[in-house]
């Protein structure tokens, strides 16, 4: 690092947090080493203040943030802008950038590092996201919650706490929260094991549904709400796990069988829509026009084996999922035949989690070497398919050397949130990136927290980040009361109807 001695007279400045710019310092031509890394990121105009600290030894830090006629100086051991000051700053920088100058003190000597920008997009972001918080260990998996976080500030609350209905041997697991068109008043999640069932909340009414039926493979698992109909498509899965002792991918989650079903929320009816025993269908997702259903599927045929479980485990790396779609007629409620969208197996890869942008143009998916549960695969990356041109590319601007997993689009299609293990390889944390009209992504930034070191001290994984237009207002206790009730069994029908 090159340093030049520099002396500066105190100039006129707005002083906040009780800190001032040092009057003498050396100059560095390197960017400051800060955590989280917010150098040259793009953020929405309505994002909570970005806080950061020096990643390493430092006796103090002072930062000057400027935009237009606004200037903010703050520091101490961490840089934590006041919410009102930050709001004025981003409003002044909208469509441009906040310039950040960082001064670091070590051994009574100050250094001014190369300034960087925080670009402020006029594209706003949905005010809330929700996620499941779970330990990266199956020993304590019952201690989990579904939480919601306001992106415009640091407010966080619990949607449901798994321990409300878990006691001793009567354990439970909640998962797969999902919303209809980002609407927090129309959501669903599953309760597994004790008091199991699917909880569906629709405009203030909560129901517990028992979706298991002899005519389908299993109860519904991975869901996708139709954009406007009271209709949810699920994959049904017989899932297994392998715990590795030496493989870098510590856990392998796989399906020995999987199908697709459709569930009519109003009529409480369910039907199969894909149930070929040689096809492993999974992760359905509706296109915004409500006329196309995307999903992934792998072809797998068992050999003459007595123990299918052992055979599947030995052949796990053969599983290569491709992306498919099916047409759907909202008037007749009928699905068409499947069509290939992207043949990942042709490049010896496996594609999962298709997610369509709200304008219907881009399909964002996860690509890995094999298998279906890429969140445990260190090689997993985000890829983009332009449905207009047919071009597919690695989203290198979003990816890291480690896992990029579950992802969701914002309602305006200008932001994505995704899970990444980029910092330590163990914990998934939410990262947000801007996507422009040409499908190019900006440098991702980590979910801002009041304490910049929060995520490094918080020993939980963020699972399934989903955007929301507002908070869920149903209390955890109301959800618990619904879970304690008997589940309403579904009725199987040959096909759905209006």
């Amino acid at each position: 690092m090159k340093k030049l001695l520099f002396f500066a007279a105190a100039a006129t400045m707005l002083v906040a947090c009780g800190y001032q710019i040092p009057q003498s310092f050396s100059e560095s031509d390197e960017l400051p080493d800060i955590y989280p890394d917010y150098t040259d990121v793009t953020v929405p105009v309505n994002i909570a203040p970005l806080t950061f600290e020096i990643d390493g030894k430092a006796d103090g830090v002072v930062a000057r943030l400027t935009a237009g006629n606004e200037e903010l100086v703050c520091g101490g051991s961490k840089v934590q802008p006041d919410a009102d000051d930050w709001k004025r700053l981003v409003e002044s920088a909208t469509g441009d950038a906040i310039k950040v100058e960082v001064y670091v003190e070590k051994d009574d000597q100050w250094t001014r590092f190369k300034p960087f920008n925080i670009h402020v997009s006029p594209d706003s972001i949905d005010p809330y996201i929700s996620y499941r918080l779970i330990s990266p260990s199956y020993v304590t998996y019952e201690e989990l919650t579904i939480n919601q976080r306001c992106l415009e500030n640091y407010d966080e609350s619990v949607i449901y706490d798994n321990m409300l209905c878990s006691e001793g041997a009567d354990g439970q697991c909640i998962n797969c929260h999902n919303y209809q068109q980002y609407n927090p008043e129309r959501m669903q999640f599953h309760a597994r094991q004790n008091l199991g069932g699917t909880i569906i909340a629709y405009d203030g009414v909560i129901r517990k549904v028992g979706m298991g039926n002899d005519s389908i493979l299993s109860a519904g698992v991975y869901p996708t709400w139709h954009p406007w109909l009271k209709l949810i498509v699920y994959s049904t899965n017989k899932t297994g796990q392998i715990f590795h002792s030496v493989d870098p991918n510590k856990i392998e989650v796989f399906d020995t069988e999987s199908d697709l079903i459709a569930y009519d929320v109003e009529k409480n009816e369910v039907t199969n829509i894909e149930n070929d025993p040689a096809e492993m269908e999974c992760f359905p997702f509706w296109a915004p026009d409500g006329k196309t259903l995307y999903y992934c599927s792998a072809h797998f045929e068992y050999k003459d084996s007595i123990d299918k479980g052992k055979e599947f485990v030995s052949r796990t790396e053969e599983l290569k999922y491709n992306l498919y779609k099916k047409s759907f007629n909202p008037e007749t409620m009928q699905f068409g035949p499947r069509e290939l969208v992207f043949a990942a197996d042709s490049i010896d890869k496996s594609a999962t989690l298709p997610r369509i942008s709200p304008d219907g143009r881009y399909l964002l998916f996860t690509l890995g070497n094999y298998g279906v549960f890429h969140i445990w695969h260190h090689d997993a990356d985000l890829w983009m398919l332009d449905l207009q041109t047919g071009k597919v590319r690695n989203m290198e601007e979003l990816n890291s050397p480690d896992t990029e997993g579950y992802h969701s689009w914002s309602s305006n299609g200008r932001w994505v949130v995704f899970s990444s293990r980029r910092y330590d390889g163990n914990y998934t944390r939410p990262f947000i990136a801007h996507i422009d009209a040409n499908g190019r992504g900006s440098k991702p930034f980590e979910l801002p927290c009041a304490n910049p070191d929060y995520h490094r001290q918080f020993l939980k994984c963020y699972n399934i980040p989903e955007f929301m237009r507002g908070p869920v207002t149903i209390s955890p206790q109301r959800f618990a009361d619904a879970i304690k009730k008997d589940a309403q069994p579904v009725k199987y029908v040959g096909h759905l109807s209006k």
Side-chain angles (χ1 to χ4, degrees), residues 35-36 38 48-54 77-81 149 153-156 429 446-458 462:
Y35 175 80
Y38 290 138
L50 302 190
T51 66
F52 60 87
E53 61 187 355
I54 298 302
S77 60
K78 303 172 183 179
V79 175
Q80 297 168 294
R149 160 71 194 274
N153 53 47
Y154 309 121
D155 291 348
E156 183 179 31
R429 299 183 177 98
E446 189 175 10
L447 176 69
C449 295
N451 176 6
D453 203 42
Y454 178 77
H455 285 141
R456 294 200 288 199
Q457 300 178 32
F458 184 57
Y462 289 75

Side-chain angles (χ1 to χ4, degrees), residues 36 86 107 118 162 191 221 248 271 295 319 355 364 366 443 448 451:
W86 173 261
D107 302 323
I118 296 174
N162 192 61
V221 182
T271 190
Y295 62 99
L319 266 288
R355 296 291 182 264
L364 188 63
T366 304
K443 177 181 176 180
N451 176 6

Side-chain angles (χ1 to χ4, degrees), residues 195-199 207-210 481-489:
L195 302 173
T198 295
I199 298 299
R207 294 167 49 225
K208 179 182 176 182
V209 177
D481 290 342
I483 289 174
K484 291 173 184 177
K485 295 179 180 178
D486 292 336
Q488 180 183 2

Side-chain angles (χ1 to χ4, degrees), residues 258-294:
S258 54
D259 293 329
L260 295 180
I261 62 171
Y263 171 66
D264 187 314
V265 175
E266 194 164 46
K267 296 181 179 179
N268 196 40
E269 294 177 344
V270 66
T271 190
N272 284 301
I273 57 176
E274 279 286 334
N275 61 346
D276 185 337
E279 293 293 327
M280 304 286 190
E281 301 91 355
C282 198
F283 294 130
F285 191 82
W286 285 104
D289 65 3
K291 298 179 180 180
T292 311
L293 179 74
Y294 288 83

Side-chain angles (χ1 to χ4, degrees), residues 179-180 182-187 201-205 470-474:
Y179 308 90
Q180 185 179 45
Y182 309 91
N183 187 346
E185 300 299 318
R186 299 177 180 181
M187 70 170 296
Y202 199 92
D203 294 348
V205 177
V472 173
T473 57
I474 298 171

Side-chain angles (χ1 to χ4, degrees), residues 407-424:
H407 46 277
S408 301
W409 290 89
S410 66
S411 62
N412 63 5
R414 284 291 171 259
W415 304 92
V416 293
V417 60
F418 60 94
S419 297
S420 178
R421 299 187 194 272
R422 65 186 57 200
Y423 279 138
D424 55 30

Side-chain angles (χ1 to χ4, degrees), residues 2-8 24-28 109-110:
K2 297 179 181 179
K3 292 185 178 180
L4 299 173
L5 190 61
F6 183 87
F7 294 91
S24 64
F25 50 83
S26 61
E27 191 94 16
S28 170
Q109 298 292 322
W110 285 93

Side-chain angles (χ1 to χ4, degrees), residues 122-172:
D123 296 322
S124 62
I125 199 167
D126 296 291
Y128 276 81
I129 60 171
S130 59
Y131 38 77
R132 187 172 68 155
L133 294 177
I134 184 170
S135 299
S137 165
Y138 282 71
V139 177
T140 58
Y141 79 94
E142 289 180 359
E143 296 178 5
L144 58 88
T145 58
I146 299 174
N147 283 29
Q148 57 190 357
R149 160 71 194 274
C150 181
L151 294 177
E152 298 177 336
N153 53 47
Y154 309 121
D155 291 348
E156 183 179 31
S157 60
V158 174
I159 295 176
Y160 183 70
D161 187 333
N162 192 61
M163 297 301 288
L164 288 176
C165 292
S166 290
E167 184 177 353
D170 295 327
Q172 190 181 72

